[in-house]
Amino acid sequence: MKITNKSNRDISSIIELLEDFYPFAKQRLKFEKDPELIFETDSQNAKNALGKTAYYQPSEMSISVFVDDRHPKDIMRSISHEMVHHAQNCDGQFDKNLGVGEGYAQNDKHLRKMEEDAYLRGNMCFRDWEDGYKKNNPLLERRERLYYNLLRRFK
């Protein structure tokens, strides 16, 4: 998968997780063509509590993810969601000329089903991978718990 970082954020920790997550997601979601993953920055969007987190461009087969002021796990969940849209595209579900403007998930039954699918399969794909990753990397899990316990003590 081609990765482009257009943000000013160090994404090395996310890349490290993606190296493990991406093959898992690709097999789980059953797509063959690799999407391009683009990390974006948009300070105005980041200030908006209901701003965009990510989007998929079917014609470009690209996933764009906004990274400003976001936890890496949240970014990963967004990537997983958009990978379902990529799998849908590879399956031909975007072949119709679909208008995905404001309210698309409320106004179009087909797009609503696609969005429901992305929320369910994307979140479950990420959750299943995360649980397996933590099980296979117990020292990492203990280190994170220790880090957050220390943070709580010094607040």
Side-chain angles (χ1 to χ4, degrees):
M1 173 172 62
K2 179 181 177 190
I3 297 174
T4 304
N5 185 8
K6 292 183 177 179
S7 77
N8 55 0
R9 180 176 175 164
D10 175 13
I11 58 167
S12 56
S13 64
I14 297 167
I15 298 295
E16 188 176 313
L17 293 172
L18 277 171
E19 287 173 357
D20 194 81
F21 174 68
Y22 182 72
F24 177 89
K26 186 174 181 175
Q27 181 178 20
R28 170 71 60 93
L29 300 174
K30 298 178 172 77
F31 61 84
E32 291 184 25
K33 294 179 183 175
D34 294 324
E36 178 180 7
L37 178 58
I38 304 165
F39 291 96
E40 299 273 359
T41 188
D42 183 336
S43 59
Q44 287 305 109
N45 182 64
K47 292 176 187 174
N48 182 354
L50 298 177
K52 292 180 181 179
T53 56
Y55 61 93
Y56 180 68
Q57 288 285 100
S59 60
E60 304 296 319
M61 289 193 157
S62 67
I63 296 168
S64 293
V65 182
F66 294 99
V67 296
D68 300 313
D69 300 327
R70 293 180 68 193
H71 192 282
K73 184 173 179 175
D74 182 46
I75 293 168
M76 293 291 293
R77 260 195 302 265
S78 289
I79 292 169
S80 188
H81 176 98
E82 299 305 330
M83 280 189 185
V84 175
H85 289 314
H86 178 67
Q88 292 166 338
N89 189 26
C90 291
D91 287 343
Q93 294 183 50
F94 277 96
D95 287 352
K96 295 193 275 180
N97 185 14
L98 304 171
V100 289
E102 200 167 318
Y104 71 91
Q106 289 75 34
N107 300 323
D108 183 295
K109 288 180 184 180
H110 176 69
L111 290 174
R112 183 161 186 91
K113 289 277 186 212
M114 289 175 68
E115 203 55 31
E116 288 171 351
D117 180 40
Y119 276 101
L120 177 61
R121 285 199 300 155
N123 281 344
M124 292 310 297
C125 179
F126 182 75
R127 176 65 188 265
D128 291 347
W129 169 80
E130 179 186 8
D131 289 350
Y133 186 80
K134 287 177 178 177
K135 183 179 178 182
N136 293 328
N137 296 283
L139 292 176
L140 175 71
E141 179 68 11
R142 276 191 243 138
R143 185 182 76 195
E144 284 184 21
R145 265 192 249 123
L146 177 62
Y147 172 75
Y148 286 111
N149 285 335
L150 287 170
L151 278 180
R152 280 189 215 116
R153 287 184 186 167
F154 292 107
K155 281 188 175 181

